[in-house]
Amino acid sequence: MTTAINTPGVPGRDGSGQPNGLDVIDPYRIRQDFPILDQQVNGKPLVYLDNAATTQKPLAVIDAISSYYLHNNANVHRGVHTLSQRATDDYEAGREAVRRFINAPDANEVIYVRGTTEGLNLVASSYGRKYFKAGDEVIITGMEHHSNIVPWQILGKEIGIRLRVVPFNDDGELLMDEYEAMLNDRTRMVSVVHQSNALGTVNPIPEMVELAHARGIPVMVDAAQSIPHMPVDVQALGADFLTFSGHKMYGPTGIGALWGRAELLDDMPPYQSGGEMIRSVTFEETIYNTLPHKFEAGTPDIAGAIGLGAAVEYLESIGMERIAAYEQALLRYGTEKLGDIEGVRLIGTAEEKGGVLSFYMEAAHPHDIGTILDSEGIAVRTGHHCAQPVMARYEIPATVRASLAFYNTTDDIDALVKAIDRVIEVFG
Ligand code: PMP
């Protein structure tokens, strides 16, 4: 049975007067930074609960991008003219903002990429081709996004490496004993998602890193879903590579970052080649540029990098600790509310999890549920969420996924619950 989580008129207190954490942030104030949220969809106020797919962009990000195009547009690192210098300064300021945000030791270790997918491909391709040989093993987990499966699989076919997969329990928690038993002399890399997009599970990265490092094995972290929702500190995690996408952290699409330890990146061959990544070129030989330029061939997404820097500053102005605390409170609220609806089965009930409410209903196919929710103005994702092995593990075709951001409110959850009641009315 639900205990009323909000006492009307007393934000931040539950029905018994206890603190519920929902007053850490004022989401109604925050929403003013996101004009897109203030609109009607299908005649109903928009309830945007598809944040794991992509987040909305605050005015600070939109303004930073338009200001670059209005005032400073030029190519970076090439011109001595003023606009080029301004563009270069802003582009590099974005890199420094990312460094600070993830507490990386050095901005040269931060490489701009298109997003998480490219970060993972870069490491698999560059590190893997240099260091892996037939018979080697790469460990991933059963809850990876396809972008942390397929690059290793393709490499595996080419070189003859074996992919080992750490299983998880019914709640969506990794079986750490099995992970430990998988690490061996043939393991060349562990590549693991920090927070699962399909289940919300937050994996114990420091523990996984410690076990891998004890055997000299590097660890790559897919932080696509963790970086928008909690403090991510590469030094505290202890990982060797970490990658994420700008568009899931309130920044633009087409930009993200890969962080790696300088000593590893220095020894890796370029991923793509052409302009910018060279120091000198003759027809006989090319000397590569230093980090980070060695991995940034061609004209980069300059506006994207500037927008990413603005997104970082925006998140810093609110504070990642506060964001995490608020979203956890909202997740508790949503979990309790959805848990009360008969016929709704939550998929992903790990002890440590982020703001993802994935669910399945026998009564209706997830796509039909999604369509009804859309008619109520509610945006959720339905499908396999690019994590088909997760669906196979639960023997379901797809889920409906409501994913939270700090601009979501308890009203949004209440609207979702009401719309699910409507689904039940329609499908019985
Ligand atoms: N990993 C995870 C956990 C994700 O959720 C996503 C995006 N859904 C990706 C990787 C891929 O990110 P992108 O499409 O931005 O490259």
Side-chain angles (χ1 to χ4, degrees):
M1 221 202 59
T2 302
T3 50
I5 298 204
N6 261 337
T7 305
V10 190
R13 297 274 152 183
D14 69 12
S16 11
Q18 296 304 307
N20 61 15
L22 284 164
D23 56 352
V24 187
I25 269 179
D26 177 0
Y28 297 97
R29 222 293 300 133
I30 300 268
R31 289 171 78 86
Q32 292 168 10
D33 298 336
F34 294 84
I36 196 173
L37 295 173
D38 184 19
Q39 63 171 296
Q40 304 254 315
V41 167
N42 295 322
K44 305 279 166 55
L46 168 65
V47 174
Y48 188 77
L49 290 170
D50 195 17
N51 296 289
T54 201
T55 50
Q56 300 303 344
K57 321 304 172 201
L59 281 170
V61 168
I62 297 167
D63 288 348
I65 295 168
S66 79
S67 170
Y68 162 70
Y69 282 124
L70 283 171
H71 306 294
N72 301 329
N73 177 54
N75 212 331
V76 290
H77 300 142
R78 287 176 198 172
V80 290
H81 65 80
T82 302
L83 290 194
S84 177
Q85 284 176 5
R86 278 194 217 144
T88 304
D89 286 351
D90 291 351
Y91 177 78
E92 290 303 329
R95 195 190 307 278
E96 171 55 23
V98 169
R99 183 211 65 73
R100 191 175 65 234
F101 195 56
I102 60 173
N103 193 28
D106 190 334
N108 290 331
E109 296 177 324
V110 174
I111 293 152
Y112 286 127
V113 288
R114 271 196 306 124
T116 310
T117 302
E118 192 175 48
L120 287 159
N121 274 277
L122 190 159
V123 173
S125 174
S126 170
Y127 186 93
R129 283 216 170 78
K130 174 151 184 183
Y131 294 110
F132 297 172
K133 55 182 187 331
D136 285 348
E137 295 179 358
V138 170
I139 296 181
I140 60 170
T141 80
M143 64 180 84
E144 299 307 323
H145 187 276
H146 295 162
S147 61
N148 197 23
I149 303 174
V150 186
W152 305 109
Q153 215 167 43
I154 290 176
L155 197 66
K157 296 236 161 78
E158 246 176 73
I159 302 179
I161 57 169
R162 183 176 169 213
L163 209 52
R164 308 284 310 266
V165 182
V166 185
F168 54 84
N169 65 21
D170 289 344
D171 286 322
E173 293 162 330
L174 291 180
L175 302 181
M176 289 296 282
D177 289 350
E178 302 230 8
Y179 166 62
E180 194 168 354
M182 262 178 211
L183 294 161
N184 66 47
D185 295 346
R186 293 178 301 278
T187 316
R188 290 288 166 267
M189 175 73 76
V190 172
S191 189
V192 57
V193 68
H194 194 183
Q195 177 177 316
S196 155
N197 65 318
L199 302 169
T201 308
V202 177
N203 287 316
I205 303 295
E207 203 182 324
M208 296 181 82
V209 167
E210 202 180 318
L211 290 165
H213 281 184
R215 291 164 183 80
I217 302 161
V219 178
M220 161 117 215
V221 175
D222 168 354
Q225 296 291 345
S226 54
I227 200 132
H229 304 297
M230 64 181 82
V232 168
D233 177 328
V234 293
Q235 299 191 55
L237 290 173
D240 302 281
F241 299 101
L242 181 137
T243 188
F244 53 89
S245 306
H247 71 96
K248 292 185 197 284
M249 53 181 290
Y250 312 94
T253 49
I255 190 80
L258 166 71
W259 167 82
R261 289 183 194 280
E263 61 269 28
L264 297 177
L265 292 172
D266 267 333
D267 282 340
M268 285 159 56
Y271 172 55
Q272 292 180 337
S273 49
E276 199 77 10
M277 49 74 69
I278 53 90
R279 172 148 289 166
S280 71
V281 178
T282 64
F283 288 116
E284 287 69 42
E285 202 188 8
T286 293
I287 314 271
Y288 303 139
N289 210 335
T290 49
L291 291 176
H293 311 294
K294 181 172 81 173
F295 291 107
E296 291 180 4
T299 299
D301 182 355
I302 303 164
I306 291 169
L308 179 60
V312 164
E313 282 172 14
Y314 179 78
L315 288 170
E316 286 173 335
S317 75
I318 298 167
M320 292 312 294
E321 297 280 359
R322 280 175 70 206
I323 288 171
Y326 176 76
E327 289 180 1
Q328 283 295 315
L330 201 57
L331 176 67
R332 281 194 295 277
Y333 183 86
T335 305
E336 209 167 305
K337 289 275 180 175
L338 260 72
D340 274 353
I341 307 175
E342 210 170 313
V344 167
R345 175 183 164 207
L346 277 173
I347 306 291
T349 46
E351 192 77 30
E352 296 293 328
K353 77 173 269 197
V356 173
L357 293 159
S358 237
F359 62 92
Y360 184 72
M361 295 171 77
E362 286 294 343
H365 191 279
H367 292 318
D368 294 329
I369 302 173
T371 306
I372 292 188
L373 297 192
D374 181 54
S375 72
E376 299 290 326
I378 301 172
V380 292
R381 176 72 31 146
T382 61
H384 51 63
H385 319 295
C386 295
Q388 283 181 350
V390 173
M391 302 299 122
R393 164 69 176 73
Y394 289 100
E395 297 177 357
I396 51 176
T399 72
V400 181
R401 182 188 67 189
S403 50
L404 310 176
F406 56 86
Y407 45 58
N408 288 124
T409 64
T410 51
D411 294 343
D412 291 344
I413 305 278
D414 294 345
L416 173 68
V417 168
K418 209 166 140 212
I420 295 173
D421 287 343
R422 169 114 184 78
V423 171
I424 294 169
E425 258 169 55
V426 173
F427 289 97

